[in-house]
C-alpha cells in the first residue's frame, strides 16, 4: 500500500486528495469525478511539467503530486493548444473538402450519363409507397396492433424519466418507439422457411414461377426450398403488398421495412421508405419531438442512429434514397461521415443528373397538391437539406459503439462482412435521475403486513397463502385496461384470514395508486385512483417484491416476532438520487435500470472486462449511514456476474473516502438471486456512494439495496437500499 496526497487544480479551485495508489488509476479517476463532477471518460489530467498528460497506465506512486484536471468539454488548458487544435480541425476539414472536389471531378469521367439504370431501381418504389396511403391497408395494420399495451409502455417509458404528464408530441414520439420494439418482436426473419408440411429445415432450390394468388399481392419473385426430411417443396413468395405482409408477418429486410412503414403511416406518422443501393431497406419518420426526420430500422429495433450502417456494419454506401407520397429524396449524406469516399462510389449517374431525376419524379408525385401544402413541404425540404449539410462534417461521437448487423443468420452476415460487434453502448454515460420512490414505498409497505401477520397469529403457511392471494389480485389488475384498472376481490373475502388482514395492505395499495371500493351493489373491488401510469410503473415492482417476500418467508427459520430483519424486510430504501456509470448499454441496459425495482431490467456495462464503476448520489445530498446493501444477478450469462468489488462512501464531495465494504470471489448460483451484504465497519453518514467492480467481462447486475440507518418506531434499525 502506498498512500499519497495529491493537490488537484480544476477551474481555479484546488482539491486535496489522499489516495491509496494500489487501488489503481480507474478508481483514482472516479474519485476525481466525485471531487469535480468531471466523469472519468471526460478527464484530461496533466502533471507539473508543461503539456505532460498523465495516461491511464501511469504509475501513481511516482507521478507529480501537483496535478491539473481539465474536462474535454471545457476550453483546453493553454491558448497555444487551443489554436493548434483549431488549426488541425481546419486542416482536416480542408482535406475533406479537397477530397470531395476531386471525387466530383473524377465522377465526371467514370459516371454514366444513361439514367435508365438508376431510374429502374427507384421508380418501382414510387408506386409502392402510395399503398401506405390506402385506408383499407392502414385499418388492417391498426387492427393487428395491441394499441393500449403500446400506449401504456410509452407512458411508462416517459415516467421512468420523471415525465408523468407528457405532451401529445412526447406521447407520439414514445409510442412510435414502442411500435418499433413491438414490430421487432412480432415479425419473423426468414433465412429459409420451415417446411410447410413437417416444419423441418429446408434447402434453397432456386426461383420458381409465381402463382396468380401470389402475383395478386406483388410477388413477382418466388423462392423455392426443399425439406431436408420429407423432401417436399416449400414456396416463399416475396410479397410487396404490405397488407399481405400484415398477415404473413415474415420476410427479410425488404418485407420488414415495407410492412413497418405501413404501420407508421397507419398511426399518422409522416413516413418514408429508405432504399439503400448496397442492399438494405429501412424507414424514416418525421419526429415532431425532435423537429427532424428520424432513422428507424425495424430489423434491428434501432432508432436515430443513422451511422449504424457505415460505422457499425462497415457498409460502403453509395446511394441512400428516401421515397414518400410527396417526393423522392437523396438522403445519403445523413448516413455517412465519409462523403468523399461515398462520392467515389457514386458512378451510376453524375450528381447533376441524379438531382434532375429526383426533381422530376418529385414534381410528378406533387401534381395536384394545393399551393399551401406545397409551400409547407418545400420549406421542410430546405430545412432538411440544411440539417444534413450541417451534420455531414460534424464530429463523430467516439463514445458511442454501434453494433454490427444482428438480423439474419450468422453465416449470411459474415458473408456480407456486416457482423461487427453485438452491442449498442456508450462509454459517456450521462448523469441520470432515478425515478424510483415508488419502489421504496412498496418495500416499506410490507412492514405493517408482517406485523399484522404476527398480531393475528398467522402461521407461515397462511402468510404465504395470503401473499399468494394478493399476487393473484395484482395479476388480475395487470391484465385489465391500464386506464381503468379494477379487479373484484369478493371471492377472496370469503377467506376469513385475508378479510381480517386486508386493512394492513392499505399502505401497499397507496404505493400502487390503488384503493378498495365498495360498489352500489355491494361488490368490493380494487381499482386505480390518480394517475394510472403510477400503477403501471409500480405493478411489476410489487409482483417481484411479493415473490421475494414469499421466498424469504419460506426460508425464515425464526418466523415470529424476531423475523423483522434483512433480507425479509428492506425498509427505508434510498431513492430519487442520481447515478452515473463507467458505461452502459442503450437503450435498455442504462445505469438507472439497476435501481428500478424490477427483475426484467439490468444495468449492463459492456467494458466490464476493463473494470467498471457506478456512482450514486443521494437526493438533495442528504447523508445516510448505510448498514447493508444487496446485489441481484441478472437474467442470463452467469459469466457476467460481478465477483469482486469495493463500496465506498463520501460526505465531503469526494475529498475523502471511506471503505464501507469490500468483497472478493462472490458467486451467484441462480438467476435473479439477491444477496445481502451487511456493512460492519464503523463509518460516518455519506451522500455519495461508489461501487468499483474488478475485471468481470461484460457486467450485468442490479445493486438492489442500500439501506441507511434509521429507526422505525421502537422496532429495529434497518438499512435503506438502492438498486443498480
Amino acid at each position: 500500500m502506498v498512500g499519497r496526497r495529491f493537490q488537484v487544480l480544476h477551474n481555479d479551485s484546488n482539491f486535496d486528495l489522499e489516495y491509496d495508489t494500489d487501488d489503481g488509476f480507474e478508481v483514482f479517476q472516479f474519485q476525481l469525478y466525485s471531487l469535480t463532477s468531471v466523469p472519468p471518460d471526460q478527464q484530461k489530467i496533466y502533471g507539473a511539467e508543461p503539456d505532460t498528460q498523465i495516461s491511464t497506465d501511469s504509475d501513481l506512486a511516482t507521478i507529480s503530486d501537483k496535478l491539473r484536471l481539465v474536462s474535454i468539454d471545457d476550453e483546453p488548458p493553454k491558448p497555444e493548444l487551443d489554436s493548434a487544435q483549431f488549426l488541425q480541425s481546419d486542416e482536416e476539414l480542408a482535406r475533406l473538402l479537397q477530397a470531395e472536389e476531386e471525387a466530383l471531378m473524377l465522377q465526371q469521367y467514370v459516371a454514366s450519363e444513361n439514367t435508365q439504370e438508376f431510374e429502374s431501381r427507384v421508380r418501382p418504389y414510387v408506386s409502392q409507397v402510395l399503398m401506405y396511403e390506402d385506408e383499407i391497408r392502414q385499418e388492417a395494420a391498426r387492427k393487428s396492433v395491441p394499441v393500449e399495451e403500446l400506449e401504456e409502455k410509452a407512458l411508462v417509458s416517459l415516467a421512468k424519466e420523471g415525465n408523468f404528464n407528457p405532451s401529445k408530441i412526447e406521447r407520439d414520439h414514445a409510442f412510435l418507439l414502442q411500435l418499433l420494439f413491438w414490430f421487432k418482436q412480432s415479425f419473423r426473419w426468414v433465412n429459409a422457411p420451415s417446411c410447410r408440411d413437417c416444419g423441418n429445415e429446408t434447402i434453397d432450390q432456386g426461383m420458381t414461377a409465381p402463382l396468380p394468388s401470389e402475383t395478386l399481392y406483388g410477388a413477382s419473385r418466388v423462392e423455392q426450398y426443399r425439406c431436408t426430411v420429407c423432401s417436399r417443396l416449400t414456396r416463399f413468395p416475396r410479397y410487396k403488398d404490405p397488407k399481405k405482409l400484415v398477415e404473413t408477418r415474415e420476410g427479410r429486410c425488404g418485407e420488414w421495412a415495407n410492412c413497418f412503414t405501413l404501420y407508421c403511416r397507419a398511426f399518422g406518422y409522416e413516413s418514408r421508405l429508405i432504399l439503400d443501393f448496397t442492399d438494405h431497406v429501412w424507414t424514416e419518420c418525421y419526429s415532431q419531438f425532435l423537429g427532424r426526420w428520424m432513422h428507424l430500422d425495424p430489423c434491428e429495433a434501432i432508432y436515430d442512429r443513422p451511422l449504424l450502417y457505415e460505422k457499425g456494419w462497415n457498409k460502403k454506401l453509395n446511394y441512400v434514397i428516401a421515397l414518400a407520397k410527396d417526393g423522392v429524396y437523396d438522403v445519403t449524406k445523413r448516413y455517412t461521415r465519409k462523403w468523399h469516399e461515398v462520392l467515389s462510389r457514386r458512378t451510376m449517374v453524375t450528381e447533376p443528373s441524379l438531382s434532375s431525376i429526383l426533381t422530376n419524379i418529385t414534381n410528378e408525385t406533387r401534381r395536384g397538391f394545393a399551393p399551401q401544402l406545397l409551400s409547407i413541404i418545400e420549406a421542410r425540404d430546405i430545412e432538411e437539406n440544411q440539417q444534413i449539410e450541417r451534420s455531414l462534417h460534424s464530429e463523430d461521437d467516439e463514445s458511442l459503439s454501434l453494433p454490427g448487423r444482428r438480423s439474419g443468420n450468422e453465416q449470411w452476415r459474415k458473408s456480407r462482412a456486416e457482423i461487427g460487434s453485438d452491442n449498442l453502448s456508450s462509454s459517456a454515460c450521462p448523469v441520470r435521475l432515478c425515478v424510483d420512490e415508488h419502489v421504496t414505498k412498496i418495500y416499506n409497505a410490507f412492514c405493517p403486513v408482517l406485523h399484522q401477520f404476527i398480531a393475528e397469529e398467522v402461521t407461515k403457511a397462511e402468510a404465504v397463502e395470503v401473499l399468494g392471494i394478493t399476487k393473484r389480485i395484482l395479476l388480475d389488475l395487470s391484465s385489465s385496461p391500464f386506464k381503468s384498472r379494477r379487479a373484484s376481490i369478493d371471492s377472496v373475502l370469503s377467506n376469513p384470514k385475508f378479510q381480517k388482514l386486508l386493512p394492513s395492505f392499505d399502505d401497499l395499495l397507496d404505493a400502487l395508486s390503488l384503493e378498495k371500493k365498495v360498489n352500489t351493489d355491494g361488490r368490493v373491488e380494487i381499482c386505480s385512483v390518480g394517475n394510472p401510469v403510477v400503477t403501471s410503473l409500480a405493478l411489476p415492482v410489487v409482483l417481484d417484491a411479493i415473490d421475494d417476500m414469499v421466498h424469504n418467508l419460506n426460508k425464515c427459520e425464526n418466523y415470529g416476532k424476531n423475523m423483522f430483519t434483512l433480507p425479509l424486510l428492506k425498509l427505508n430504501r434510498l431513492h430519487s438520487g442520481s447515478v452515473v456509470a463507467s458505461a452502459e448499454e442503450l437503450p435498455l441496459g442504462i445505469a438507472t435500470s439497476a435501481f428500478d425495482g424490477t427483475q426484467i431490467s439490468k444495468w449492463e456495462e459492456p467494458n466490464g472486462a476493463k473494470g467498471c464503476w457506478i456512482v450514486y448520489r443521494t437526493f438533495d445530498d442528504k447523508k445516510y449511514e448505510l448498514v447493508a446493501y444487496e446485489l441481484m444477478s441478472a437474467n442470463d450469462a452467469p459469466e457476467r456476474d460481478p465477483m469482486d468489488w469495493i463500496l465506498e462512501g463520501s460526505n465531503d464531495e469526494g475529498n475523502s473516502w471511506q471503505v464501507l465494504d469490500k468483497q472478493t470471489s462472490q458467486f451467484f448460483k441462480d438467476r435473479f438471486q439477491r444477496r445481502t451484504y451487511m456493512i460492519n465497519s464503523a463509518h460516518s453518514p455519506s451522500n455519495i456512494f461508489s461501487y468499483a467492480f474488478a475485471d468481470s467481462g461484460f457486467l450485468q447486475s442490479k445493486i438492489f439495496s442500500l439501506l441507511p440507518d434509521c429507526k422505525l418506531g421502537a422496532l429495529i434499525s434497518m438499512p435503506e437500499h438502492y438498486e443498480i
Side-chain angles (χ1 to χ4, degrees):
M1 170 177 155
V2 180
R4 295 199 59 190
R5 179 186 291 273
F6 294 97
Q7 188 177 76
V8 183
L9 174 65
H10 175 65
N11 286 347
D12 299 324
S13 297
N14 283 301
F15 301 90
D16 292 325
L17 172 62
E18 292 184 359
Y19 187 69
D20 179 359
T21 59
D22 289 345
D23 288 338
F25 197 86
E26 290 183 352
V27 178
F28 181 69
Q29 286 184 296
F30 154 70
Q31 294 201 2
L32 287 177
Y33 160 72
S34 300
L35 282 169
T36 64
S37 298
V38 179
D41 60 288
Q42 297 182 28
Q43 292 177 5
K44 283 189 177 181
I45 305 170
Y46 295 86
E49 295 296 324
D51 298 327
T52 302
Q53 185 173 346
I54 308 300
S55 63
T56 55
D57 58 357
S58 299
D59 185 354
L60 288 171
T62 61
I63 65 172
S64 168
D65 58 0
K66 293 186 182 297
L67 303 172
R68 183 173 72 255
L69 173 66
V70 177
S71 168
I72 61 175
D73 290 335
D74 296 336
E75 291 292 322
K78 298 178 66 177
E80 293 80 10
L81 180 61
D82 182 51
S83 299
Q85 286 182 333
F86 276 120
L87 180 60
Q88 183 179 3
S89 176
D90 288 345
E91 289 176 348
E92 177 64 15
L93 179 59
R95 186 188 68 80
L96 291 175
L97 293 175
Q98 178 65 27
E100 291 172 14
E101 185 176 341
E102 291 173 355
L104 280 172
M105 291 180 62
L106 179 62
Q107 188 189 73
Q108 297 178 18
Y109 298 99
V110 298
S112 170
E113 288 297 337
N114 185 350
T115 64
Q116 185 175 357
E117 180 184 1
F118 184 89
E119 288 201 57
S120 67
R121 295 285 298 272
V122 172
R123 281 201 174 271
Y125 291 93
V126 176
S127 57
Q128 180 174 320
V129 297
L130 294 180
M131 289 191 285
Y132 308 145
E133 308 307 310
D134 177 57
E135 181 57 37
I136 295 176
R137 290 181 172 89
Q138 290 187 7
E139 182 62 20
R142 284 191 292 267
K143 284 182 177 179
S144 68
V145 177
V147 175
E148 186 170 88
E149 177 187 332
L150 299 192
E151 287 178 347
E152 180 183 7
K153 288 182 176 181
L155 291 171
V156 167
S157 70
L158 293 168
K160 285 182 177 180
E161 299 175 354
N163 186 354
F164 286 86
N165 294 289
S167 66
K168 184 181 184 305
I169 287 177
E170 291 169 325
R171 293 196 305 271
D172 288 346
H173 183 77
F175 182 87
L176 176 59
L177 302 186
Q178 294 303 322
L179 184 67
L180 174 72
F181 302 148
W182 168 82
F183 188 86
K184 171 66 174 177
Q185 298 301 318
S186 65
F187 214 79
R188 186 173 70 91
W189 182 274
V190 176
N191 294 304
S194 301
C195 176
R196 304 297 187 195
D197 292 298
C198 67
N200 285 293
E201 293 183 357
T202 61
I203 299 175
D204 184 16
Q205 299 294 298
M207 306 297 291
T208 188
L211 301 174
S213 60
E214 294 165 339
T215 57
L216 181 63
Y217 296 103
S220 57
R221 295 170 54 242
V222 177
E223 300 169 2
Q224 191 163 241
Y225 295 81
R226 185 175 298 280
C227 180
T228 57
V229 176
C230 70
S231 296
R232 293 187 178 179
L233 295 174
T234 292
R235 303 170 67 85
F236 180 46
R238 303 302 302 272
Y239 292 117
K240 295 181 180 179
D241 189 329
K243 184 177 184 293
K244 185 64 176 179
L245 297 175
V246 169
E247 299 173 13
T248 63
R249 313 192 73 75
E250 64 179 16
R252 301 190 194 113
C253 63
E255 288 89 352
W256 281 65
N258 187 8
C259 190
F260 180 68
T261 309
L262 170 64
Y263 276 107
C264 293
R265 288 297 299 131
F267 286 97
Y269 298 98
E270 294 184 65
S271 309
R272 297 167 167 175
L273 185 68
I274 308 301
L275 174 63
D276 162 29
F277 279 27
T278 60
D279 193 24
H280 191 46
V281 193
W282 61 88
T283 305
E284 282 184 356
C285 287
Y286 190 84
S287 168
Q288 296 288 346
F289 177 72
L290 298 175
R292 56 176 170 78
W293 288 95
M294 180 173 68
H295 150 259
L296 301 109
D297 192 317
C299 301
E300 309 295 301
I302 290 178
Y303 63 92
D304 205 23
R305 300 291 180 218
L307 297 184
L308 172 68
Y309 312 107
E310 182 174 80
K311 184 179 178 182
W313 298 17
N314 197 32
K315 262 184 172 291
K316 308 302 181 185
L317 299 172
N318 49 28
Y319 298 98
V320 181
I321 307 299
L323 300 107
K325 63 177 182 178
D326 56 14
V328 182
Y329 311 85
D330 181 5
V331 293
T332 312
K333 290 182 179 179
R334 193 196 316 282
Y335 294 91
T336 182
R337 291 296 178 270
K338 302 175 181 179
W339 178 237
H340 60 294
E341 295 181 12
V342 172
L343 269 174
S344 67
R345 296 189 288 268
R346 287 163 67 100
T347 58
M348 194 174 293
V349 292
T350 63
E351 295 303 300
S353 296
L354 171 64
S355 178
S356 178
I357 295 168
L358 298 183
T359 298
N360 291 338
I361 298 176
T362 296
N363 289 338
E364 292 173 15
T365 63
R366 295 180 182 180
R367 284 175 184 165
F369 281 22
Q372 186 177 6
L373 177 59
L374 275 175
S375 64
I376 294 173
I377 295 174
E378 289 167 358
R380 180 174 289 179
D381 290 348
I382 293 172
E383 182 181 1
E384 179 184 16
N385 289 334
Q386 292 173 345
Q387 289 174 344
I388 289 178
E389 290 296 335
R390 285 196 300 267
S391 67
L392 183 59
H393 296 297
S394 62
E395 292 187 8
D396 194 6
D397 183 1
E398 294 297 335
S399 70
L400 186 63
S401 174
L402 295 170
R405 189 171 196 153
R406 293 178 285 190
S407 53
N409 64 33
E410 184 174 351
Q411 182 179 357
W412 180 72
R413 287 180 286 146
K414 283 183 176 179
S415 69
R416 297 163 62 95
E418 294 176 350
I419 200 156
S421 67
D422 291 331
N423 302 298
L424 173 61
S425 61
S426 176
S427 60
C429 174
V431 177
R432 299 186 183 276
L433 298 180
C434 296
V435 182
D436 59 343
E437 183 178 7
H438 60 286
V439 184
T440 300
K441 287 182 176 180
I442 287 169
Y443 278 97
N444 287 351
F446 281 106
C447 186
V449 174
L450 291 182
H451 275 284
Q452 195 67 13
F453 285 170
I454 302 305
E456 297 296 331
E457 299 181 347
V458 175
T459 66
K460 184 194 293 189
E462 289 173 329
V464 170
E465 180 187 4
V466 168
L467 290 174
I469 292 172
T470 305
K471 181 179 179 180
R472 288 195 294 273
I473 294 170
L474 295 174
L475 285 172
D476 288 343
L477 285 162
S478 295
S479 60
S480 64
F482 84 98
K483 294 179 182 178
S484 57
R485 293 191 192 276
R486 57 184 64 251
S488 173
I489 61 172
D490 283 339
S491 60
V492 298
L493 288 177
S494 59
N495 182 318
K497 284 289 184 183
F498 184 81
Q499 186 175 21
K500 199 166 188 179
L501 293 168
L502 187 57
S504 66
F505 285 89
D506 285 347
D507 287 352
L508 189 60
L509 294 177
D510 182 66
L512 296 168
S513 195
L514 298 171
E515 66 175 1
K516 297 190 297 288
K517 181 180 180 182
V518 180
N519 292 328
T520 55
D521 58 3
R523 290 185 300 109
V524 182
E525 291 182 327
I526 302 294
C527 57
S528 59
V529 57
N531 190 338
V533 180
V534 175
T535 307
S536 298
L537 190 63
L539 274 172
V541 177
V542 74
L543 290 170
D544 286 349
I546 289 177
D547 287 342
D548 185 46
M549 180 71 67
V550 169
H551 173 77
N552 288 322
L553 270 175
N554 285 326
K555 290 176 57 179
C556 184
E557 297 179 355
N558 299 312
Y559 181 79
K561 293 182 180 179
N562 297 321
M563 70 179 179
F564 295 93
T565 58
L566 280 167
L568 189 61
L569 271 182
K570 305 173 180 69
L571 295 174
N572 307 314
R573 172 189 177 277
L574 285 175
H575 63 84
S576 304
S578 60
V579 62
V580 68
S582 49
E584 59 185 1
E585 286 295 310
L586 303 172
L588 302 179
I590 61 175
T592 49
S593 295
F595 301 85
D596 62 11
T598 65
Q599 291 183 353
I600 59 173
S601 63
K602 63 190 175 187
W603 166 50
E604 189 167 351
E605 217 287 9
N607 302 312
K610 303 175 184 177
C612 55
W613 51 264
I614 191 166
V615 181
Y616 184 93
R617 183 186 288 266
T618 63
F619 179 66
D620 284 345
D621 287 333
K622 187 176 179 180
K623 296 180 176 63
Y624 295 95
E625 184 177 350
L626 298 190
V627 300
Y629 65 100
E630 282 190 338
L631 270 74
M632 183 173 71
S633 58
N635 62 319
D636 61 0
E639 67 274 10
R640 298 183 180 185
D641 289 344
M643 296 176 60
D644 310 318
W645 64 84
I646 182 171
L647 168 63
E648 294 181 296
S650 175
N651 58 15
D652 59 0
E653 294 297 314
N655 286 307
S656 60
W657 288 88
Q658 47 192 337
V659 175
L660 305 181
D661 191 45
K662 190 173 185 178
Q663 297 291 334
T664 59
S665 303
Q666 296 301 297
F667 175 69
F668 294 80
K669 64 179 181 179
D670 297 315
R671 300 301 85 205
F672 304 123
Q673 179 187 359
R674 293 173 177 172
R675 298 191 61 184
T676 302
Y677 298 88
M678 303 301 296
I679 296 175
N680 299 314
S681 58
H683 61 279
S684 58
S686 302
N687 58 1
I688 306 174
F689 302 95
S690 74
Y691 288 84
F693 296 89
D695 294 355
S696 57
F698 281 69
L699 185 104
Q700 54 184 30
S701 179
K702 281 193 177 276
I703 297 174
F704 189 78
S705 305
L706 280 183
L707 306 167
D709 192 2
C710 122
K711 298 284 184 181
L712 215 91
L715 251 168
I716 190 167
S717 184
M718 291 298 298
E720 171 156 335
H721 83 281
Y722 77 88
E723 298 181 2
I724 83 172

